[in-house]
Amino acid sequence: MKKFDPKKEFIMSKTHNFGAGPCILPQIVFEQASKGVFDPDGGQFNGLSILEISHRSEAFVSIMEEARGLVRELLEVPDNYTVLFLQGGASLGFLINAMNMAGAHRKAGYINTGAWSTKAMKEAKVAGLEVIEIASSSDQNFNYIPKDFEVEELDFIHMTSNNTIFGTQFHDLPKVNVPLVCDMSSDIFSKKIDVSKFDLIYAGAQKNVGPAGATLYIVKNDCLNQSSLKPIPSYLDLNVHAGKDSMFNTPPVFSVYVSMLNLRHLKATGAVAEMEKVNNMKASELYAEIDRNSLFKGTAAKEDRSKMNVTFVLTDESKKEVWDKIWNDANIVGLKGHRSVGGYRASMYNALELESVEVLTKIMRDFEAQYQS
Ligand code: PMP
């Protein structure tokens, strides 16, 4: 067996972060964020750190406005939608969306594509809705996107655009004739989307937007103040937040600040269209290697494969120790699969560079070559 030493084959100058989050961001954003916290030249905010300025200060109000404006611009959000940065993660979003979107039927349809949709259904029930699982891929451990379902009288349909754990992604939107709500936590800003097809989008920041702490909501104005579950507790009421320009209470200041820096960077480097091109290249390269390489096998149905979270397993488990050493030695982190799927998961969020995928595919090729000679 030929010996392969990745340390000799690459210049190991950086860590390749394939972790599922939080939170990989471009290096330049890390640098800018650190200067916002501590700037030896005097601080950017009248001599203060971003961590100590008032959220009501002119400086922060303008950061919040720029962040909301960049979301609008980068996703081409129509004028009749409101953009908010709130707290609580997508997990609170499960409840917030159900409470705000409840209508006359008090009944919602959920496309169950995995752990996150299952949790969203649970919270909708807590909100008092009748929850109909209109489609599910649980019969095959959520390794595909179910496409056929019937819509009864529903207030809305909920979907999870990308399934972070199981490595599946909607590549076409389901055709629905009721309002569509989407948890876009793990693929927002990774590709162009048509916001007008959704009534409510929500996403935890910590994959493609910024550090954990902020949760992004993009809501059609017609959906505000329409819930049949009134009164909604103030913090859970999107209309309350919309009325206060996302400043109803103390926002997650640092997370919004760094999200703004990251979105500025995204805009300056070709915006979402360019990001989509690079994400397509990264996904094609890795999936091609998984399909070519006799030692690996993808776990998700080919037509539903996620471009953000690539799940795969070894074809021969006895090689696990050797493979784990190889990728660890190649300065790759976060490749271990989620416990419910096993194997490996390569998360390739926007900030993961193509070069990191090239390192991964190279060690996969070299790993196979060891066993062929
Ligand atoms: N939905 C999806 C698709 C996710 O990937 C996650 C977190 N990984 C969540 C919801 C939960 O997000 P949070 O931890 O922000 O509540």
Side-chain angles (χ1 to χ4, degrees):
M1 197 166 83
K2 211 165 53 190
K3 263 269 172 259
F4 168 64
D5 181 358
K7 280 202 169 122
K8 287 201 183 113
E9 309 239 350
F10 306 114
I11 303 159
M12 289 301 160
S13 57
K14 66 183 273 191
T15 302
H16 304 284
N17 183 5
F18 284 90
C23 152
I24 177 170
L25 292 174
Q27 290 297 311
I28 186 163
V29 174
F30 286 138
E31 266 172 49
Q32 291 166 348
S34 65
K35 282 216 163 150
V37 174
F38 177 69
D39 188 350
D41 298 330
Q44 295 177 43
F45 309 103
N46 295 324
L48 299 180
S49 162
I50 183 68
L51 299 182
E52 61 184 332
I53 63 171
S54 162
H55 65 288
R56 303 282 173 206
S57 63
E58 220 175 277
F60 184 73
V61 172
S62 103
I63 287 167
M64 176 62 97
E65 282 317 294
E66 186 173 347
R68 295 170 78 205
L70 282 163
V71 172
R72 270 191 186 289
E73 191 180 336
L74 289 165
L75 295 179
E76 297 172 32
V77 177
D79 288 345
N80 59 330
Y81 284 68
T82 297
V83 174
L84 303 166
F85 278 97
L86 308 183
Q87 308 203 37
S91 297
L92 189 62
F94 300 153
L95 182 62
I96 288 181
N97 87 70
M99 296 204 85
N100 284 266
M101 297 299 294
H105 306 296
R106 296 213 176 165
K107 192 159 126 184
Y110 279 67
I111 304 174
N112 189 359
T113 47
W116 301 114
S117 322
T118 306
K119 288 185 185 191
M121 287 163 64
K122 182 171 167 223
E123 297 304 308
K125 283 181 197 156
V126 172
L129 297 190
E130 186 185 338
V131 169
I132 314 284
E133 188 184 74
I134 55 173
S136 170
S137 47
S138 65
D139 58 333
Q140 289 184 44
N141 200 27
F142 299 111
N143 73 355
Y144 69 99
I145 298 283
K147 291 162 192 97
D148 295 322
F149 52 84
E150 294 203 352
V151 178
E152 322 162 32
E153 291 190 314
L154 298 169
D155 293 335
F156 64 89
I157 286 178
H158 181 282
M159 60 179 276
T160 310
S161 54
N162 180 72
N163 300 283
T164 326
I165 293 176
F166 297 95
T168 61
Q169 186 174 26
F170 279 87
H171 296 301
D172 297 302
L173 283 186
K175 288 191 178 45
V176 299
N177 53 6
V178 297
L180 186 59
V181 173
C182 186
D183 171 5
M184 231 178 251
S185 293
S186 52
D187 66 354
I188 196 161
F189 292 109
S190 70
K191 59 177 185 177
K192 283 184 85 99
I193 54 165
D194 181 353
V195 172
S196 72
K197 296 273 189 299
F198 302 90
D199 290 68
L200 173 59
I201 293 170
Y202 64 102
Q206 65 270 19
K207 319 285 191 207
N208 282 336
V209 187
T215 316
L216 177 61
Y217 289 79
I218 304 173
V219 56
K220 201 182 211 172
N221 292 342
D222 286 351
C223 302
L224 295 169
N225 211 20
Q226 295 302 315
S227 176
S228 62
L229 292 177
K230 281 184 184 168
I232 302 177
S234 306
Y235 194 84
L236 307 184
D237 188 347
L238 293 176
N239 194 44
V240 167
H241 294 285
K244 299 283 184 188
D245 288 331
S246 207
M247 299 282 280
F248 162 68
N249 68 333
T250 313
V253 170
F254 183 68
S255 179
V256 173
Y257 173 59
V258 183
S259 298
M260 182 279 284
L261 294 173
N262 187 41
L263 296 177
R264 250 191 209 167
H265 177 73
L266 180 58
K267 181 179 165 185
T269 50
V272 178
E274 180 59 28
M275 202 71 255
E276 182 169 7
K277 240 192 271 168
V278 179
N279 285 334
N280 284 340
M281 283 160 68
K282 291 188 292 189
S284 315
E285 167 142 3
L286 183 51
Y287 282 120
E289 183 55 27
I290 288 170
D291 291 340
R292 189 207 60 75
N293 194 312
S294 59
L295 300 185
F296 296 100
K297 195 171 79 188
T299 58
K302 280 194 181 170
E303 74 272 17
D304 301 324
R305 283 172 159 179
S306 167
K307 295 181 183 179
M308 292 284 100
N309 309 95
V310 177
T311 48
F312 57 101
V313 291
L314 286 168
T315 49
D316 174 1
E317 266 298 300
S318 72
K319 297 189 172 64
K320 181 176 180 322
E321 209 177 307
V322 180
W323 169 239
D324 287 350
K325 179 165 173 16
I326 288 175
W327 62 264
N328 277 291
D329 285 351
N331 271 6
I332 284 174
V333 297
L335 200 65
K336 193 171 175 299
H338 190 273
R339 61 193 174 281
S340 49
V341 184
Y344 301 91
R345 170 174 54 171
S347 297
M348 307 197 295
Y349 299 123
N350 285 358
L352 183 90
E353 290 170 7
L354 182 59
E355 181 207 334
S356 295
V357 180
E358 283 163 356
V359 168
L360 176 57
T361 52
K362 173 158 180 20
I363 60 169
M364 290 166 87
R365 280 193 302 277
D366 291 339
F367 174 46
E368 187 190 39
Q370 281 186 57
Y371 289 95
Q372 283 173 342
S373 52

